[in-house]
Amino acid sequence: MSVFARLVEHLADLLAPLFHASAAAAAIVLFTALVRLLVHPLSRAAARGRRARAALQPRITALREKHAGNPQRLQQAVLELHAEEKVSPLSGCLPSLLQLPAFFLLYHLFSSSTIDGGGNALLGHRLLAAPLGGRWADALADGGVFGPAGAVYLGLFVVVAAVAAVNFRRARRTLAEQPAPAAGDQVPGLAAVTRATPFLSFFTLVTVAVVPLAAALYIVTSTAWSAAEQALLSR
């Protein structure tokens, strides 16, 4: 964590002339953007995978008719079709999974009072009036919902809610365009996950409220990036 802490400090020093006391917060946003740029090729591959799965729907419909009385054979045939066309039903999860280490690193860095036995200087940095190591509960205790720190979180909640609403509508529209799943049409358990996916966007609000502000900034930036990226790649 000491290496990462120095990286954040160096980025904050570079951004200080523009962002002053909020330079460390700006450094986290910049770091998040760099991480998203690194996984962008995988996001493009995931978008191609979604289009490929959509193109397979007529053939899957034919398999449903052929194996209507044998759900197990239908499931096997669908899996074989995906393997034959080199299309993975779970390929879209990879970009998100590869971002988890960066998120957890930020979480632990701004949750620790010490780094290598010394004090954690990053905890003294702020986004406007809100400490980067603080949480929403701390902001509520220090001025309430509309206090200086609480107002910072209200701004983040507005951004996250707006992005979640966009993602929710896009996910619902995508599901509505797909044929209704039949028994054995998907990997076991995947259908339930698919139905719940549109609502997961709003879970980000809970996450932003309970993690350190630095980690919340990562989530907000990454979520907004994902929404813009998906809109661009779906054209």
Side-chain angles (χ1 to χ4, degrees), residues 45-62 64 78 81-82 85-92 173-180 185-186 233-234:
R48 289 194 297 270
R50 287 192 295 271
R51 291 192 291 268
R53 288 192 296 274
L56 290 180
Q57 286 305 315
R59 298 173 65 181
I60 291 177
T61 300
R64 287 177 182 171
V78 170
L81 176 61
H82 281 97
E85 298 297 329
K86 297 181 173 59
V87 175
S88 171
L90 302 176
S91 60
R173 184 170 61 250
T174 300
L175 290 177
E177 292 172 353
Q178 295 177 353
D185 186 41
Q186 302 186 56
L233 295 177
S234 62

Side-chain angles (χ1 to χ4, degrees), residues 22-227:
S22 298
I28 292 170
V29 173
L30 177 59
F31 169 76
T32 308
L34 293 175
V35 172
R36 292 310 308 256
L37 280 174
L38 288 174
V39 301
H40 179 68
L42 294 176
S43 298
R44 294 181 66 88
R48 289 194 297 270
R50 287 192 295 271
R51 291 192 291 268
R53 288 192 296 274
L56 290 180
Q57 286 305 315
R59 298 173 65 181
I60 291 177
T61 300
L63 289 175
R64 287 177 182 171
E65 297 174 354
K66 180 178 179 180
H67 304 291
N70 191 340
Q72 292 184 345
R73 182 67 189 93
L74 172 59
Q75 179 178 304
Q76 182 62 32
V78 170
L79 292 175
E80 290 174 355
L81 176 61
H82 281 97
E84 176 186 344
E85 298 297 329
K86 297 181 173 59
V87 175
S88 171
L90 302 176
S91 60
C93 299
L94 190 56
S96 298
L97 291 176
L98 290 180
Q99 292 179 69
L100 287 178
F103 167 76
F104 284 118
L105 184 58
L106 267 175
Y107 179 90
H108 287 294
L109 181 61
F110 283 89
S111 298
S112 303
S113 58
T114 61
I115 300 176
D116 288 347
N120 186 354
L122 289 173
L123 297 182
H125 291 281
R126 294 172 173 266
L127 172 59
L128 301 178
L132 291 181
R135 291 170 167 80
W136 189 41
D138 302 321
L140 293 178
D142 184 20
V145 175
F146 299 104
V152 173
Y153 278 92
L154 285 179
L156 293 181
F157 290 147
V158 168
V159 173
V160 171
V163 174
V166 171
N167 290 338
F168 177 81
R169 288 195 296 268
R170 181 185 295 116
R172 290 294 296 268
R173 184 170 61 250
T174 300
L175 290 177
E177 292 172 353
Q178 295 177 353
D185 186 41
Q186 302 186 56
V187 176
L190 187 59
V193 173
T194 301
R195 288 193 297 270
T197 296
F199 298 94
L200 294 180
S201 299
F202 294 100
F203 184 74
T204 309
L205 288 165
V206 179
T207 308
V208 168
V210 300
V211 301
L213 179 56
L217 279 176
Y218 182 95
I219 293 172
V220 173
T221 305
S222 183
T223 302
W225 181 292
S226 292

